[in-house]
Amino acid sequence: MASPAPAPHTLADFALAAEQALDAATWAYFNGGAGDEATLHANAAAWQALPLWPRVLQPLAGGHTRVALAGHELAHPILLAPVAHQRLAHPDGEWASALAAAAQGAGYVLGTQSNVPMEQVAEAVLADPGRGPLWFQLYWQADRGFNRALVQRAEAAGFEAIVLTVDAPVQGVRDRERRAGFALPPGVHAVHLQDAPAVPPADGTYCAGLPAHAPTWDDVAWLRAQTRLPVWLKGVLHPQDARRAQQLGVAGLIVSNHGGRTLDTAPPTAQALPRVRAAAGDALPIVVDGGIRRGTDVLKAIALGANAVMVGRPVAHALAAGGALGVARMLRLLRDELEMAMALTGCRTLAEAGAHLLDPATAAVWEQAGPR
């Protein structure tokens, strides 16, 4: 009788277990990037390349991982990013990952391309007093009326913010996925887009006319006027875009390169984050994703100016490896690693995490100014 597989102890363990559980084409879909996958690999490498400088003999009594984000206090700064088609990983799909997020006090962002209706997800988690924020991610559709209806549906279901993805006017050139011959199997579809109007034809052949229907800054202003919910922008890397978004009054920014799935050779998010923070100033909330696989990565993101982080692919990995319990364990592991990294760098709270953890030359300036 074969012995049971050992429980995953790291996010990398979950990835190995998921690769064994999924067919090759589905694995390529969840894990592939654009082009030569330079950005995909650079995301994780950039976090790993940043050294954390330990501090010793610091007072640590009463420490915690709580953070403030968009007017709410979170138990910890980890959210689950919108990941499409989660029933490819597990039959319970987004319902399972949302339940796990609520159980672990993590924020949850449901994707437009969910396989589970938003109402079912909201019903499963809204009553949980320990849950994190519940947001709905919007992929812009060609018809404004359909976008309005989708946002109003999210409002009615109890979602608390709209996350507009702005970095994918067209799909990236995902070679690994194409080589594997990936296609959605029967029974797996984007339930929120079943009634979406067909994209009207556009003149010219530039990306088959798709960019003609991509969102613009005017559409962001329009969207803000259609909903009482705060609107976040996901996919901002350039400082000038951060300034423009702030001028339009968005609720916050998510520094993201779509997990390396759109523009290959785009900068890793660890490199973009401090530039976006400098452009936006201290007041605008910023979340970052892309390659975060360790609690040390979470701490580095906070030190570079993020208020919180998101993880995406690890959700699919943990779902495939263990369903809702797998996702809950993945989140707990990441949080435990964060707590240990905080203690070993002398941070009682995340408010004490700053650039001095990454560059000792800034320590004197930091200690003079005090935590941000």
Side-chain angles (χ1 to χ4, degrees):
M1 182 176 178
S3 60
H9 294 290
T10 68
L11 271 62
D13 290 345
F14 275 108
L16 288 173
E19 187 173 11
Q20 295 173 358
L22 298 173
D23 63 82
T26 301
W27 176 253
Y29 169 74
F30 280 131
N31 289 277
D36 297 317
E37 300 185 343
T39 297
L40 169 67
H41 298 297
N43 273 341
W47 296 114
Q48 290 292 308
L50 290 169
L52 275 173
W53 287 77
R55 295 293 305 276
V56 299
L57 303 175
Q58 302 298 304
L60 299 174
H64 61 77
T65 59
R66 295 190 298 273
V67 294
L69 182 69
H72 300 279
E73 185 177 79
L74 281 62
H76 55 80
I78 305 167
L79 294 84
L80 298 192
V83 176
H85 300 303
Q86 292 184 27
R87 276 190 171 153
L88 290 170
H90 190 278
D92 292 335
E94 291 81 4
W95 180 86
S97 57
L99 208 64
Q104 291 295 325
Y108 188 80
V109 187
L110 180 71
T112 295
Q113 294 179 319
S114 169
N115 303 140
V116 179
M118 63 176 78
E119 292 82 3
Q120 290 184 21
V121 171
E123 183 180 7
V125 303
L126 280 177
D128 190 326
R131 67 174 177 86
L134 180 64
W135 298 349
F136 179 74
Q137 176 262 345
L138 176 66
Y139 272 125
W140 188 261
Q141 304 300 305
D143 183 87
R144 273 188 170 185
F146 185 83
N147 291 317
R148 182 192 298 112
L150 205 55
V151 167
Q152 290 174 347
R153 184 178 165 187
E155 283 186 13
F159 286 78
E160 296 156 332
I162 301 298
V163 176
L164 177 65
T165 292
V166 295
D167 63 350
V170 297
Q171 183 171 289
V173 181
R174 301 207 291 260
D175 294 331
R176 192 195 319 188
E177 181 182 320
R178 295 190 298 176
R179 291 189 188 105
F182 173 77
L184 289 176
V188 177
H189 55 275
V191 296
H192 301 129
L193 299 179
Q194 293 180 93
D195 300 321
V199 176
D203 293 334
T205 59
Y206 176 45
C207 291
L210 292 176
H213 308 292
T216 67
W217 292 109
D218 289 341
D219 291 314
V220 174
W222 176 87
L223 179 62
R224 289 195 65 240
Q226 306 307 307
T227 178
R228 59 178 173 78
L229 298 179
V231 174
W232 288 64
L233 299 188
K234 182 178 185 294
V236 174
L237 294 174
H238 201 290
Q240 291 182 17
D241 289 337
R243 296 187 190 98
R244 183 73 179 271
Q246 191 172 29
Q247 292 167 0
L248 283 176
V250 300
L253 301 176
I254 300 172
V255 175
S256 173
N257 52 36
H258 219 95
R261 291 169 69 84
T262 52
L263 177 65
D264 198 23
T265 71
T269 51
Q271 181 179 330
L273 171 60
R275 292 165 169 80
V276 170
R277 171 53 76 195
D282 292 333
L284 192 67
I286 293 177
V287 177
V288 64
D289 72 8
I292 291 171
R293 299 294 184 268
R294 286 285 190 176
T296 47
D297 300 337
V298 179
L299 183 58
K300 292 171 188 179
I302 302 299
L304 287 175
N307 299 92
V309 306
M310 283 182 176
V311 292
R313 285 183 177 89
V315 178
H317 298 160
L319 264 181
L325 290 176
V327 178
R329 179 173 174 81
M330 179 272 292
L331 282 165
R332 185 69 246 186
L333 288 172
L334 201 56
R335 181 177 176 181
D336 287 348
E337 290 184 3
L338 169 63
E339 292 179 3
M340 286 182 274
M342 291 171 61
L344 292 168
T345 54
C347 293
R348 189 178 63 89
T349 71
L350 289 169
E352 298 173 1
H356 66 294
L357 297 183
L358 306 174
D359 180 6
T362 67
V365 175
W366 174 267
E367 291 168 357
Q368 183 178 7
R372 58 179 167 80

